[in-house]
Amino acid sequence: MKLKNKLIAGLVAGAAAFFVGLNQQASAAIVNNDYALSASEGSSLRTNNNVIIAHATAVYAPAKNVATYEKREWYNTGAYVQYVVGDGGKIYRVGAEGYQAWGAGSWANANAPVQVELAQTYDQAEFRKDYVTYVNLLRSSAIKYGIPTTVDSSAWRGVKSHLWVTNHVWGNHTDPYGYLASHGITKAQFAHDVQYGFSSSGNDVNPAPKPEPKPVNPTNKKHVDVTYAMHQRNGHWLSPVKNAGSGANGFAGMPYSAHDMLYIKVNRGSIKYRVHTIEDGWLPWVHKANKNDAVNGVAGIKGHTIDGVQMYYTTPKGETYQQAYYRSQTTQRAGYLGTCADNGSVAGYDSWAGVLGEPLDRLQISINDHSNF
């Protein structure tokens, strides 16, 4: 995000405690609320919880000045975010979490419960403190709102830089990477730091994880067929689909339609699955597949709109390890969303498929030891 007008200094006063959860550790940071917008200021629109936006201010000025400016000029400039980080690791609140800020265009603003500015400094020691707080705030905000901590993946959920928004949605900003690079932080390092966080001391980045040795699996891979079908909302069951392919027979569901129930079954091993609906949130796991048993044989509630799907495949003992790879599409955007793997090994929509608030209209599933998507 870029602030073009002159920034004016303000005085730091009262503060509130803010706790950043990191891998079951907690580091206490201080949030200064002196520059927070009042209840009558800023947008009154709630956000979807899909992305956390990472910014840099593009001006070398204290974070306090940036927060002061956004508080004073939010309406005139049409620009403000929820938090500004800087001044040696301090956090200044401006906008309210969960309500739209004006930081990266209409799509990003509508889908980001938290947007964070990183104030720029030439001082390396000050940057280090700022960076630790910035990373931890981005990461903890993602965890708080159930958003993946992956940075700039191809999926439409996760922690996103302003550059990612420019490249995938709209705009011309490239922050925060230019500023991070000026202090020796690469894109890969930033992504690693957000994903894993800093220790509670805040002194050192957690070391890059060492690749775990691949398990030695028996060379006994068996072909697994997965059969699944979706029920049109307030309509009928659509024809079942086996595995995933191209064309009209390659997915379950009906394009541009909402669905309310799903069943999935496999011919080897076992699979459990559940759905998220706009009306109810996540529903219980289902272990059976019987479209005539609306209680135990299908996931979903008749008339309630499915917007998320999650599943987990269990390989029979002694066979080559396989898992469910799956992806979905929604009625509100073209193209499939990122691929999910049930054990969390694929970057992207790795915990579940879908976009909350958007009816899921197509679903593809494959059981394999690798993704074919």
Side-chain angles (χ1 to χ4, degrees):
M1 182 177 179
K2 183 177 292 185
L3 300 176
K4 297 181 180 179
N5 297 59
K6 183 177 180 181
L7 301 173
I8 300 177
L11 298 176
V12 177
F18 181 83
F19 292 93
V20 182
L22 296 169
N23 295 330
Q24 297 182 348
Q25 296 175 331
S27 60
I30 298 298
V31 176
N32 185 300
N33 291 303
D34 290 350
Y35 313 101
L37 299 179
S38 69
S40 62
E41 297 175 315
S43 175
S44 62
L45 299 176
R46 300 290 307 209
T47 64
N48 298 313
N49 300 331
N50 290 319
V51 294
I52 303 296
I53 305 295
H55 297 277
T57 59
V59 292
Y60 284 85
K64 178 178 64 176
N65 295 20
V66 176
T68 301
Y69 177 79
E70 291 190 5
K71 163 68 173 175
R72 188 186 70 239
E73 300 292 336
W74 70 273
Y75 184 81
N76 294 326
T77 63
Y80 70 94
V81 296
Q82 278 83 8
Y83 295 109
V84 182
V85 172
D87 300 345
K90 296 179 181 178
I91 302 173
Y92 300 91
R93 187 193 308 273
V94 181
E97 283 192 19
Y99 289 86
Q100 293 188 22
W102 298 341
S106 59
W107 181 87
N109 297 340
N111 285 278
V114 174
Q115 300 190 47
V116 183
E117 288 274 14
L118 178 59
Q120 299 189 184
T121 177
Y122 293 107
D123 186 281
Q124 182 65 23
E126 181 176 322
F127 167 79
R128 182 64 179 178
K129 295 177 182 178
D130 294 345
Y131 181 67
V132 168
T133 300
Y134 179 63
V135 164
N136 287 355
L137 180 56
L138 291 169
R139 184 176 188 276
S140 64
S141 297
I143 293 171
K144 176 179 180 180
Y145 288 97
I147 296 170
T149 57
T150 49
V151 175
D152 286 359
S153 71
S154 61
W156 289 81
R157 300 187 76 243
V159 178
K160 305 298 183 185
S161 67
H162 203 159
L163 174 62
W164 187 95
V165 176
T166 293
N167 290 339
H168 292 81
V169 185
W170 171 89
N172 59 6
H173 290 189
T174 61
D175 53 299
Y177 291 120
Y179 173 60
L180 295 180
S182 73
H183 285 280
I185 302 297
T186 65
K187 291 182 180 180
Q189 183 68 57
F190 178 57
H192 168 268
D193 294 343
V194 172
Q195 184 173 5
Y196 293 96
F198 286 84
S199 64
S200 58
S201 67
N203 292 326
D204 298 304
V205 178
N206 289 351
K210 296 179 180 179
E212 296 183 3
K214 294 183 178 180
V216 178
N217 293 323
T219 56
N220 185 28
K221 181 181 177 182
K222 302 295 185 181
H223 177 76
V224 180
D225 287 321
V226 55
T227 302
Y228 50 107
M230 301 194 75
H231 184 276
Q232 281 189 293
R233 186 181 64 192
N234 298 321
H236 62 281
W237 281 102
L238 300 170
S239 298
V241 175
K242 181 182 290 187
N243 304 321
S246 60
N249 295 321
F251 60 84
M254 178 67 70
Y256 315 112
S257 296
H259 301 84
D260 52 13
M261 291 185 286
L262 165 72
Y263 75 79
I264 308 172
K265 61 183 178 181
V266 292
N267 68 335
R268 298 187 65 82
S270 62
I271 194 166
K272 67 176 183 178
Y273 56 101
R274 64 176 181 168
V275 299
H276 184 284
T277 71
I278 293 175
E279 296 83 359
D280 312 290
W282 285 107
L283 298 175
W285 290 98
V286 175
H287 299 264
K288 300 179 181 179
N290 181 356
K291 67 181 182 181
N292 296 316
D293 181 356
V295 177
N296 299 308
V298 302
I301 298 174
K302 191 170 184 179
H304 292 198
T305 305
I306 295 174
D307 58 357
V309 174
Q310 188 175 29
M311 65 192 74
Y312 191 88
Y313 173 75
T314 300
T315 305
K317 185 176 181 180
E319 295 185 9
T320 300
Y321 175 70
Q322 299 188 78
Q323 59 183 313
Y325 292 94
Y326 56 107
R327 62 180 185 174
S328 66
Q329 190 165 328
T330 82
T331 59
Q332 295 179 230
R333 63 189 75 219
Y336 281 100
L337 302 170
T339 300
C340 305
D342 63 29
N343 75 344
S345 62
V346 175
Y349 271 60
D350 224 0
S351 58
W352 52 273
V355 176
L356 300 188
E358 299 184 10
L360 188 149
D361 70 344
R362 274 163 272 197
L363 178 67
Q364 286 189 308
I365 310 172
S366 173
I367 306 297
N368 214 322
D369 60 354
H370 65 280
S371 175
N372 291 317
F373 298 126

